[in-house]
Amino acid sequence: MKYEWRKEEKELYLPKKQPVFLDVPKMCYLTIDGEGDPNEKAFQEHVAALYAAAYTIRMLPKKGLTPEGYFEYTVYPLEGEWTTKQRDAGPLDKSLFAYKIMIRQPEFVNQKLFEEISPLLEKKLSNEQIQKLRLEEFTEGPSIQMLHLGSYDTELASFAQMEQFASDKGFERVSKDHKEIYLSDPRRTAPENLKTVLRFAVKQKL
């Protein structure tokens, strides 16, 4: 049977619209680092490159290449880690954003396999795009997350709710950096209906 993250990993990917605490384990991702406004062309090109690589791996058996440990699965959703170079308290300047966007990979994907698929990626991506792609492991650890329903521009209200929840539970936010997991396609979904998992790292209050 095909592995479905929506069914098997609801705690990580399908939270409620109220904050919860979770300890996020180590996971492996295809990643691309970038800077600037996510509404600009460069960001969309990075997203397209990530999906091209993720689906290349997913479809390897159809190319006559079946990696050791391979199993059928649904490609994981796009995720992004976000920070900003903005240091003043003025209006948010999206051109100063820095990000790492990513798509999680199954356990059988390793550095050796990542390097082996390079010739297949050359048929779909430019050399510049391929050079930006990385395979990385992260352990996010203790975190607060919740489902945000609505426009990306209204996320501050959800973050305020999450921060209050963290404080009530004896935690504090590690930094203003945060993770977003995109459950909706903004090209096909009205802003008020977008579903985005918001997550940030926490530590015990001193």
Side-chain angles (χ1 to χ4, degrees), residues 50-61:
L50 273 181
Y51 273 112
Y55 276 97
T56 293
I57 293 172
R58 167 68 179 83
M59 303 302 289
L60 282 174

Side-chain angles (χ1 to χ4, degrees), residues 15-20 22 80-84 92 94 97-98 140 143-168 171-182 195-202:
K16 304 297 185 183
K17 290 186 287 185
Q18 298 83 32
V20 296
L22 75 165
E81 291 183 348
W82 293 89
T83 187
T84 180
L92 187 63
K94 294 182 179 181
F97 282 176
E140 293 178 54
S143 304
I144 302 295
Q145 76 172 21
M146 70 176 286
L147 178 66
H148 173 77
L149 181 62
S151 166
Y152 304 131
D153 293 333
T154 64
E155 289 178 352
L156 287 178
S158 292
F159 281 124
Q161 188 178 349
M162 293 164 69
E163 289 174 356
Q164 184 61 57
F165 174 85
S167 181
D168 292 345
F171 296 103
E172 60 184 359
R173 191 168 176 175
V174 171
S175 74
K176 288 299 182 182
D177 298 352
H178 70 277
K179 164 72 76 71
E180 298 184 357
I181 304 174
Y182 306 102
K195 293 181 178 180
T196 310
V197 179
L198 303 180
R199 181 188 297 163
F200 56 68
V202 295

Side-chain angles (χ1 to χ4, degrees), residues 26-134:
K26 180 170 70 175
M27 292 180 281
C28 182
Y29 299 86
L30 288 171
T31 71
I32 292 181
D33 291 329
E35 296 181 353
D37 190 330
N39 297 305
E40 298 296 331
K41 182 180 178 181
F43 180 80
Q44 302 305 322
E45 290 176 344
H46 292 341
V47 171
L50 273 181
Y51 273 112
Y55 276 97
T56 293
I57 293 172
R58 167 68 179 83
M59 303 302 289
L60 282 174
K62 294 188 179 296
K63 300 290 186 180
L65 303 170
T66 304
E68 182 178 355
Y70 181 90
F71 55 89
E72 287 203 12
Y73 62 97
T74 299
V75 170
Y76 282 90
L78 179 71
E79 307 184 31
E81 291 183 348
W82 293 89
T83 187
T84 180
K85 296 180 178 181
Q86 186 170 352
R87 296 295 175 258
D88 59 60
L92 187 63
D93 186 347
K94 294 182 179 181
S95 69
L96 296 176
F97 282 176
Y99 56 83
K100 183 188 292 288
I101 54 172
M102 60 192 77
I103 297 177
R104 184 179 165 192
Q105 296 302 294
E107 292 80 2
F108 67 82
V109 180
N110 53 35
Q111 191 63 36
K112 182 174 180 291
L113 176 63
F114 178 62
E115 293 170 0
E116 288 176 348
I117 68 168
S118 181
L120 297 177
L121 295 180
E122 290 172 358
K123 300 176 182 179
K124 301 178 179 181
L125 305 175
S126 68
N127 287 334
E128 181 181 0
Q129 289 174 317
I130 293 173
Q131 291 299 315
K132 287 181 178 291
L133 279 169
R134 299 284 186 272

